Amino acid sequence: MIKVCILGAGKVGSHFIKECINNPVLNLVQIYNRTLQPIKIYQDSILITQDTTHLVKADVYLICLADDVIKTLDLSSLKGLVVHTSGTKPYQEINAKQRGVLYPLQSFSKEKHLDFKQVPLCIETEFENDLELLFKLANAISTKVQVLQASQREKLHLAAVFANNFSNRMMGIAYDLCKKQKIDFTFLQPLLQETFLKTQVLPPHIAQTGPAIREDQATINKHLEQLTGLDKEIYKLVTQSIQKRHGEKL
Amino acid sequence: MIKVCILGAGKVGSHFIKECINNPVLNLVQIYNRTLQPIKIYQDSILITQDTTHLVKADVYLICLADDVIKTLDLSSLKGLVVHTSGTKPYQEINAKQRGVLYPLQSFSKEKHLDFKQVPLCIETEFENDLELLFKLANAISTKVQVLQASQREKLHLAAVFANNFSNRMMGIAYDLCKKQKIDFTFLQPLLQETFLKTQVLPPHIAQTGPAIREDQATINKHLEQLTGLDKEIYKLVTQSIQKRHGEKL
């Protein structure tokens, strides 16, 4: 079994805690959090602490804290591999002897259960002989493990912001428009499902439909009349983006 | 059986043609298209024409043509219900005695098969006694039929543009970023799936994650450095939109 210590019990940390507790290959030996309150529920079965100088021995320390916190921790006395879970930070921000990254390419909500088996894990270590251990840990959690250097991980993270955060915001604007008109948002679900399913069989620029790509200016104008503020600006800009991409070769 | 004549064999029309051919309640008696070439494949079993003065008798004429073409057609001599499939145009643009709308709330791609049973159909007729026939036709095609007035249909169509066309463009930008970096886009599929599944259980503003909602300015700045042109402008504006929506009550 791989002894794991998790630092942080936020969105990402709490999902990793649950995974470690239920995973037969992993042994969760300790949880660190800045405040004890959120991790007190685990105190009967697992060591908990709010002091990084009290960390016990583990094979892997998994930092699930805000990006900017990583470099503020002094973990230089630890004997074990210390990895963070950030999509954007280099492992160099970790103050430890053995360092690496385990970036889960997924969006975490506390409210929703997640099956880690399907979550792509991008891993990287400073020293080659640490890679085997991290690979073993990642493989115990997910079927989709990939070694990825920092520069590619950064681009993947940026792509994920568009694919997930920004497409979610587009659905959010749709949700708010429906709510204001007292239209049931579930009426849009088959369309959302189709939108998602299409990305599995067609590149998005091929699957693109709507007034923008049809250059249907009458409909575009009618839509703009109904919008105000940021929604209107977004409508204009994304319409422009669809039209510019149309026909372009990458 | 309901005798149907379909006008137009584009993205929407071709899906309705296939549906009518396979639907036991519907009898496709004729297909009109501006040019005969795309509908010649049907000529052995169904009447085809490129002249609206040659339309034969049917119960329902289904206009699946570009929005701006609707009002250019003189269908005033037809004895039957004439409906268009536009999300934005009022039935008043149809030049016919009996008029209505059958708006399918779905994104149509010629390349991809569609199960009409799950497609919400929004219907409306000028005269109340035409509604029964249109309802019968719509029910034969889909399990999700709803009577919707023009103003609500317009808002739904606008919401659909954000939910489908614009979220698809966000995935398109992600696809292009991956392609430029030679990262396999399928690596993002579990994230896309989770993004879509979340909309079924959480309102999008509750499901929202990412640097924008965390107000993680360091990551936002790092992302902006990596972007240019419209992608950069979209990043700024959608980030602003996420932050503004956060905490707002509707």
Side-chain angles (χ1 to χ4, degrees), chain B residues 112-136:
Chain B
K112 194 173 171 307
H113 172 75
L114 192 74
D115 177 13
F116 259 109
K117 281 272 166 260
Q118 301 304 317
V119 176
L121 298 179
C122 310
I123 62 169
E124 184 189 12
T125 56
E126 181 171 15
F127 304 117
E128 213 183 318
N129 55 1
D130 285 328
L131 195 59
E132 194 186 339
L133 173 63
L134 193 56
F135 204 78
K136 203 172 153 189

PDB file of all heavy atoms in Angstrom, chain B residues 112-136:
ATOM      1  N   LYS B 112     -24.991  13.774 -38.592  1.00  0.00           N
ATOM      2  CA  LYS B 112     -25.266  13.015 -37.384  1.00  0.00           C
ATOM      3  C   LYS B 112     -26.738  12.654 -37.274  1.00  0.00           C
ATOM      4  O   LYS B 112     -27.602  13.514 -37.399  1.00  0.00           O
ATOM      5  CB  LYS B 112     -24.822  13.841 -36.164  1.00  0.00           C
ATOM      6  CG  LYS B 112     -24.741  13.026 -34.901  1.00  0.00           C
ATOM      7  CD  LYS B 112     -24.146  13.779 -33.764  1.00  0.00           C
ATOM      8  CE  LYS B 112     -24.296  12.976 -32.496  1.00  0.00           C
ATOM      9  NZ  LYS B 112     -25.663  12.548 -32.214  1.00  0.00           N
ATOM     10  N   HIS B 113     -27.012  11.374 -37.030  1.00  0.00           N
ATOM     11  CA  HIS B 113     -28.393  10.920 -36.863  1.00  0.00           C
ATOM     12  C   HIS B 113     -28.996  11.519 -35.598  1.00  0.00           C
ATOM     13  O   HIS B 113     -28.311  11.755 -34.611  1.00  0.00           O
ATOM     14  CB  HIS B 113     -28.431   9.388 -36.778  1.00  0.00           C
ATOM     15  CG  HIS B 113     -29.799   8.883 -36.405  1.00  0.00           C
ATOM     16  ND1 HIS B 113     -30.848   8.855 -37.300  1.00  0.00           N
ATOM     17  CD2 HIS B 113     -30.302   8.445 -35.226  1.00  0.00           C
ATOM     18  CE1 HIS B 113     -31.927   8.404 -36.697  1.00  0.00           C
ATOM     19  NE2 HIS B 113     -31.634   8.146 -35.439  1.00  0.00           N
ATOM     20  N   LEU B 114     -30.299  11.746 -35.654  1.00  0.00           N
ATOM     21  CA  LEU B 114     -30.974  12.382 -34.530  1.00  0.00           C
ATOM     22  C   LEU B 114     -32.224  11.584 -34.180  1.00  0.00           C
ATOM     23  O   LEU B 114     -32.979  11.188 -35.064  1.00  0.00           O
ATOM     24  CB  LEU B 114     -31.370  13.799 -34.952  1.00  0.00           C
ATOM     25  CG  LEU B 114     -31.841  14.730 -33.853  1.00  0.00           C
ATOM     26  CD1 LEU B 114     -30.666  15.186 -33.004  1.00  0.00           C
ATOM     27  CD2 LEU B 114     -32.520  15.932 -34.481  1.00  0.00           C
ATOM     28  N   ASP B 115     -32.428  11.357 -32.885  1.00  0.00           N
ATOM     29  CA  ASP B 115     -33.654  10.691 -32.450  1.00  0.00           C
ATOM     30  C   ASP B 115     -34.695  11.764 -32.118  1.00  0.00           C
ATOM     31  O   ASP B 115     -34.616  12.415 -31.081  1.00  0.00           O
ATOM     32  CB  ASP B 115     -33.355   9.826 -31.214  1.00  0.00           C
ATOM     33  CG  ASP B 115     -34.624   9.180 -30.676  1.00  0.00           C
ATOM     34  OD1 ASP B 115     -35.650   9.197 -31.385  1.00  0.00           O
ATOM     35  OD2 ASP B 115     -34.583   8.651 -29.555  1.00  0.00           O
ATOM     36  N   PHE B 116     -35.665  11.914 -33.012  1.00  0.00           N
ATOM     37  CA  PHE B 116     -36.673  12.972 -32.852  1.00  0.00           C
ATOM     38  C   PHE B 116     -37.542  12.799 -31.611  1.00  0.00           C
ATOM     39  O   PHE B 116     -38.118  13.771 -31.124  1.00  0.00           O
ATOM     40  CB  PHE B 116     -37.587  13.033 -34.086  1.00  0.00           C
ATOM     41  CG  PHE B 116     -37.242  14.137 -35.040  1.00  0.00           C
ATOM     42  CD1 PHE B 116     -36.678  13.858 -36.271  1.00  0.00           C
ATOM     43  CD2 PHE B 116     -37.484  15.454 -34.704  1.00  0.00           C
ATOM     44  CE1 PHE B 116     -36.362  14.877 -37.158  1.00  0.00           C
ATOM     45  CE2 PHE B 116     -37.174  16.480 -35.585  1.00  0.00           C
ATOM     46  CZ  PHE B 116     -36.613  16.194 -36.815  1.00  0.00           C
ATOM     47  N   LYS B 117     -37.634  11.583 -31.101  1.00  0.00           N
ATOM     48  CA  LYS B 117     -38.490  11.339 -29.930  1.00  0.00           C
ATOM     49  C   LYS B 117     -38.123  12.247 -28.755  1.00  0.00           C
ATOM     50  O   LYS B 117     -38.976  12.626 -27.959  1.00  0.00           O
ATOM     51  CB  LYS B 117     -38.362   9.866 -29.483  1.00  0.00           C
ATOM     52  CG  LYS B 117     -39.167   8.888 -30.334  1.00  0.00           C
ATOM     53  CD  LYS B 117     -40.579   8.731 -29.802  1.00  0.00           C
ATOM     54  CE  LYS B 117     -41.532   8.056 -30.776  1.00  0.00           C
ATOM     55  NZ  LYS B 117     -42.395   9.001 -31.503  1.00  0.00           N
ATOM     56  N   GLN B 118     -36.818  12.594 -28.656  1.00  0.00           N
ATOM     57  CA  GLN B 118     -36.341  13.394 -27.526  1.00  0.00           C
ATOM     58  C   GLN B 118     -36.236  14.889 -27.834  1.00  0.00           C
ATOM     59  O   GLN B 118     -35.774  15.664 -27.006  1.00  0.00           O
ATOM     60  CB  GLN B 118     -34.961  12.881 -27.083  1.00  0.00           C
ATOM     61  CG  GLN B 118     -34.941  11.433 -26.652  1.00  0.00           C
ATOM     62  CD  GLN B 118     -35.951  11.153 -25.540  1.00  0.00           C
ATOM     63  OE1 GLN B 118     -36.079  11.936 -24.606  1.00  0.00           O
ATOM     64  NE2 GLN B 118     -36.691  10.066 -25.654  1.00  0.00           N
ATOM     65  N   VAL B 119     -36.631  15.265 -29.052  1.00  0.00           N
ATOM     66  CA  VAL B 119     -36.498  16.674 -29.443  1.00  0.00           C
ATOM     67  C   VAL B 119     -37.744  17.461 -29.024  1.00  0.00           C
ATOM     68  O   VAL B 119     -38.843  17.169 -29.498  1.00  0.00           O
ATOM     69  CB  VAL B 119     -36.299  16.803 -30.975  1.00  0.00           C
ATOM     70  CG1 VAL B 119     -36.255  18.273 -31.381  1.00  0.00           C
ATOM     71  CG2 VAL B 119     -35.029  16.085 -31.410  1.00  0.00           C
ATOM     72  N   PRO B 120     -37.589  18.457 -28.149  1.00  0.00           N
ATOM     73  CA  PRO B 120     -38.759  19.270 -27.781  1.00  0.00           C
ATOM     74  C   PRO B 120     -39.302  20.010 -29.015  1.00  0.00           C
ATOM     75  O   PRO B 120     -38.535  20.615 -29.764  1.00  0.00           O
ATOM     76  CB  PRO B 120     -38.195  20.268 -26.766  1.00  0.00           C
ATOM     77  CG  PRO B 120     -36.952  19.636 -26.234  1.00  0.00           C
ATOM     78  CD  PRO B 120     -36.395  18.864 -27.385  1.00  0.00           C
ATOM     79  N   LEU B 121     -40.602  19.896 -29.242  1.00  0.00           N
ATOM     80  CA  LEU B 121     -41.240  20.605 -30.348  1.00  0.00           C
ATOM     81  C   LEU B 121     -42.164  21.671 -29.774  1.00  0.00           C
ATOM     82  O   LEU B 121     -43.070  21.364 -29.004  1.00  0.00           O
ATOM     83  CB  LEU B 121     -42.040  19.629 -31.227  1.00  0.00           C
ATOM     84  CG  LEU B 121     -41.241  18.521 -31.931  1.00  0.00           C
ATOM     85  CD1 LEU B 121     -42.178  17.613 -32.742  1.00  0.00           C
ATOM     86  CD2 LEU B 121     -40.163  19.096 -32.851  1.00  0.00           C
ATOM     87  N   CYS B 122     -41.905  22.924 -30.146  1.00  0.00           N
ATOM     88  CA  CYS B 122     -42.741  24.036 -29.672  1.00  0.00           C
ATOM     89  C   CYS B 122     -43.727  24.367 -30.775  1.00  0.00           C
ATOM     90  O   CYS B 122     -43.315  24.685 -31.891  1.00  0.00           O
ATOM     91  CB  CYS B 122     -41.889  25.265 -29.383  1.00  0.00           C
ATOM     92  SG  CYS B 122     -40.482  24.898 -28.339  1.00  0.00           S
ATOM     93  N   ILE B 123     -45.020  24.282 -30.475  1.00  0.00           N
ATOM     94  CA  ILE B 123     -46.017  24.504 -31.522  1.00  0.00           C
ATOM     95  C   ILE B 123     -46.926  25.689 -31.202  1.00  0.00           C
ATOM     96  O   ILE B 123     -47.132  26.057 -30.056  1.00  0.00           O
ATOM     97  CB  ILE B 123     -46.863  23.229 -31.798  1.00  0.00           C
ATOM     98  CG1 ILE B 123     -47.643  22.814 -30.545  1.00  0.00           C
ATOM     99  CG2 ILE B 123     -45.991  22.097 -32.303  1.00  0.00           C
ATOM    100  CD1 ILE B 123     -48.692  21.744 -30.836  1.00  0.00           C
ATOM    101  N   GLU B 124     -47.474  26.258 -32.292  1.00  0.00           N
ATOM    102  CA  GLU B 124     -48.363  27.416 -32.199  1.00  0.00           C
ATOM    103  C   GLU B 124     -49.162  27.476 -33.505  1.00  0.00           C
ATOM    104  O   GLU B 124     -48.612  27.183 -34.566  1.00  0.00           O
ATOM    105  CB  GLU B 124     -47.493  28.688 -32.064  1.00  0.00           C
ATOM    106  CG  GLU B 124     -48.269  29.967 -31.865  1.00  0.00           C
ATOM    107  CD  GLU B 124     -47.392  31.214 -31.965  1.00  0.00           C
ATOM    108  OE1 GLU B 124     -46.226  31.113 -32.401  1.00  0.00           O
ATOM    109  OE2 GLU B 124     -47.892  32.299 -31.614  1.00  0.00           O
ATOM    110  N   THR B 125     -50.448  27.815 -33.419  1.00  0.00           N
ATOM    111  CA  THR B 125     -51.230  28.023 -34.647  1.00  0.00           C
ATOM    112  C   THR B 125     -52.007  29.329 -34.524  1.00  0.00           C
ATOM    113  O   THR B 125     -52.292  29.799 -33.425  1.00  0.00           O
ATOM    114  CB  THR B 125     -52.247  26.881 -34.903  1.00  0.00           C
ATOM    115  OG1 THR B 125     -53.095  26.758 -33.752  1.00  0.00           O
ATOM    116  CG2 THR B 125     -51.564  25.555 -35.177  1.00  0.00           C
ATOM    117  N   GLU B 126     -52.347  29.892 -35.684  1.00  0.00           N
ATOM    118  CA  GLU B 126     -53.122  31.142 -35.678  1.00  0.00           C
ATOM    119  C   GLU B 126     -54.541  30.867 -35.174  1.00  0.00           C
ATOM    120  O   GLU B 126     -55.045  31.580 -34.312  1.00  0.00           O
ATOM    121  CB  GLU B 126     -53.164  31.729 -37.087  1.00  0.00           C
ATOM    122  CG  GLU B 126     -53.921  33.047 -37.161  1.00  0.00           C
ATOM    123  CD  GLU B 126     -53.763  33.739 -38.518  1.00  0.00           C
ATOM    124  OE1 GLU B 126     -53.313  33.084 -39.483  1.00  0.00           O
ATOM    125  OE2 GLU B 126     -54.085  34.939 -38.608  1.00  0.00           O
ATOM    126  N   PHE B 127     -55.157  29.797 -35.704  1.00  0.00           N
ATOM    127  CA  PHE B 127     -56.533  29.462 -35.330  1.00  0.00           C
ATOM    128  C   PHE B 127     -56.540  28.261 -34.393  1.00  0.00           C
ATOM    129  O   PHE B 127     -55.860  27.261 -34.647  1.00  0.00           O
ATOM    130  CB  PHE B 127     -57.367  29.153 -36.580  1.00  0.00           C
ATOM    131  CG  PHE B 127     -57.347  30.274 -37.577  1.00  0.00           C
ATOM    132  CD1 PHE B 127     -56.802  30.092 -38.839  1.00  0.00           C
ATOM    133  CD2 PHE B 127     -57.852  31.539 -37.248  1.00  0.00           C
ATOM    134  CE1 PHE B 127     -56.766  31.134 -39.761  1.00  0.00           C
ATOM    135  CE2 PHE B 127     -57.820  32.577 -38.172  1.00  0.00           C
ATOM    136  CZ  PHE B 127     -57.271  32.376 -39.426  1.00  0.00           C
ATOM    137  N   GLU B 128     -57.361  28.363 -33.371  1.00  0.00           N
ATOM    138  CA  GLU B 128     -57.371  27.316 -32.348  1.00  0.00           C
ATOM    139  C   GLU B 128     -57.733  25.943 -32.911  1.00  0.00           C
ATOM    140  O   GLU B 128     -57.211  24.927 -32.472  1.00  0.00           O
ATOM    141  CB  GLU B 128     -58.343  27.704 -31.224  1.00  0.00           C
ATOM    142  CG  GLU B 128     -57.865  27.199 -29.873  1.00  0.00           C
ATOM    143  CD  GLU B 128     -58.861  27.518 -28.768  1.00  0.00           C
ATOM    144  OE1 GLU B 128     -59.398  28.632 -28.774  1.00  0.00           O
ATOM    145  OE2 GLU B 128     -59.093  26.626 -27.922  1.00  0.00           O
ATOM    146  N   ASN B 129     -58.633  25.918 -33.907  1.00  0.00           N
ATOM    147  CA  ASN B 129     -59.032  24.601 -34.426  1.00  0.00           C
ATOM    148  C   ASN B 129     -57.985  23.947 -35.344  1.00  0.00           C
ATOM    149  O   ASN B 129     -58.194  22.839 -35.822  1.00  0.00           O
ATOM    150  CB  ASN B 129     -60.426  24.630 -35.070  1.00  0.00           C
ATOM    151  CG  ASN B 129     -60.527  25.680 -36.157  1.00  0.00           C
ATOM    152  OD1 ASN B 129     -59.546  26.373 -36.448  1.00  0.00           O
ATOM    153  ND2 ASN B 129     -61.692  25.796 -36.763  1.00  0.00           N
ATOM    154  N   ASP B 130     -56.875  24.634 -35.590  1.00  0.00           N
ATOM    155  CA  ASP B 130     -55.763  23.993 -36.302  1.00  0.00           C
ATOM    156  C   ASP B 130     -54.777  23.324 -35.327  1.00  0.00           C
ATOM    157  O   ASP B 130     -53.928  22.523 -35.733  1.00  0.00           O
ATOM    158  CB  ASP B 130     -54.976  25.018 -37.136  1.00  0.00           C
ATOM    159  CG  ASP B 130     -55.721  25.416 -38.396  1.00  0.00           C
ATOM    160  OD1 ASP B 130     -56.452  24.562 -38.932  1.00  0.00           O
ATOM    161  OD2 ASP B 130     -55.583  26.569 -38.822  1.00  0.00           O
ATOM    162  N   LEU B 131     -54.919  23.682 -34.057  1.00  0.00           N
ATOM    163  CA  LEU B 131     -53.941  23.225 -33.072  1.00  0.00           C
ATOM    164  C   LEU B 131     -53.964  21.700 -32.891  1.00  0.00           C
ATOM    165  O   LEU B 131     -52.919  21.070 -32.743  1.00  0.00           O
ATOM    166  CB  LEU B 131     -54.179  23.929 -31.720  1.00  0.00           C
ATOM    167  CG  LEU B 131     -53.038  23.821 -30.695  1.00  0.00           C
ATOM    168  CD1 LEU B 131     -51.750  24.400 -31.236  1.00  0.00           C
ATOM    169  CD2 LEU B 131     -53.407  24.524 -29.386  1.00  0.00           C
ATOM    170  N   GLU B 132     -55.183  21.140 -32.963  1.00  0.00           N
ATOM    171  CA  GLU B 132     -55.324  19.691 -32.749  1.00  0.00           C
ATOM    172  C   GLU B 132     -54.509  18.886 -33.778  1.00  0.00           C
ATOM    173  O   GLU B 132     -53.807  17.940 -33.443  1.00  0.00           O
ATOM    174  CB  GLU B 132     -56.795  19.298 -32.822  1.00  0.00           C
ATOM    175  CG  GLU B 132     -57.052  17.891 -32.291  1.00  0.00           C
ATOM    176  CD  GLU B 132     -58.515  17.459 -32.504  1.00  0.00           C
ATOM    177  OE1 GLU B 132     -59.370  18.350 -32.678  1.00  0.00           O
ATOM    178  OE2 GLU B 132     -58.771  16.247 -32.501  1.00  0.00           O
ATOM    179  N   LEU B 133     -54.616  19.306 -35.051  1.00  0.00           N
ATOM    180  CA  LEU B 133     -53.879  18.614 -36.121  1.00  0.00           C
ATOM    181  C   LEU B 133     -52.364  18.723 -35.907  1.00  0.00           C
ATOM    182  O   LEU B 133     -51.633  17.737 -36.005  1.00  0.00           O
ATOM    183  CB  LEU B 133     -54.255  19.215 -37.481  1.00  0.00           C
ATOM    184  CG  LEU B 133     -53.451  18.724 -38.691  1.00  0.00           C
ATOM    185  CD1 LEU B 133     -53.645  17.234 -38.915  1.00  0.00           C
ATOM    186  CD2 LEU B 133     -53.812  19.519 -39.942  1.00  0.00           C
ATOM    187  N   LEU B 134     -51.907  19.934 -35.574  1.00  0.00           N
ATOM    188  CA  LEU B 134     -50.463  20.137 -35.390  1.00  0.00           C
ATOM    189  C   LEU B 134     -49.961  19.373 -34.163  1.00  0.00           C
ATOM    190  O   LEU B 134     -48.855  18.807 -34.175  1.00  0.00           O
ATOM    191  CB  LEU B 134     -50.156  21.640 -35.256  1.00  0.00           C
ATOM    192  CG  LEU B 134     -48.669  22.026 -35.360  1.00  0.00           C
ATOM    193  CD1 LEU B 134     -48.064  21.539 -36.662  1.00  0.00           C
ATOM    194  CD2 LEU B 134     -48.493  23.538 -35.237  1.00  0.00           C
ATOM    195  N   PHE B 135     -50.797  19.340 -33.145  1.00  0.00           N
ATOM    196  CA  PHE B 135     -50.468  18.601 -31.935  1.00  0.00           C
ATOM    197  C   PHE B 135     -50.331  17.107 -32.248  1.00  0.00           C
ATOM    198  O   PHE B 135     -49.406  16.441 -31.773  1.00  0.00           O
ATOM    199  CB  PHE B 135     -51.566  18.819 -30.887  1.00  0.00           C
ATOM    200  CG  PHE B 135     -51.106  18.604 -29.476  1.00  0.00           C
ATOM    201  CD1 PHE B 135     -50.357  19.568 -28.808  1.00  0.00           C
ATOM    202  CD2 PHE B 135     -51.407  17.425 -28.804  1.00  0.00           C
ATOM    203  CE1 PHE B 135     -49.922  19.368 -27.512  1.00  0.00           C
ATOM    204  CE2 PHE B 135     -50.978  17.213 -27.506  1.00  0.00           C
ATOM    205  CZ  PHE B 135     -50.233  18.186 -26.858  1.00  0.00           C
ATOM    206  N   LYS B 136     -51.246  16.606 -33.078  1.00  0.00           N
ATOM    207  CA  LYS B 136     -51.235  15.193 -33.470  1.00  0.00           C
ATOM    208  C   LYS B 136     -49.955  14.867 -34.257  1.00  0.00           C
ATOM    209  O   LYS B 136     -49.296  13.855 -34.008  1.00  0.00           O
ATOM    210  CB  LYS B 136     -52.477  14.920 -34.337  1.00  0.00           C
ATOM    211  CG  LYS B 136     -52.919  13.473 -34.373  1.00  0.00           C
ATOM    212  CD  LYS B 136     -54.253  13.367 -35.101  1.00  0.00           C
ATOM    213  CE  LYS B 136     -54.405  11.992 -35.729  1.00  0.00           C
ATOM    214  NZ  LYS B 136     -55.575  11.913 -36.624  1.00  0.00           N
TER     215      LYS B 136
END
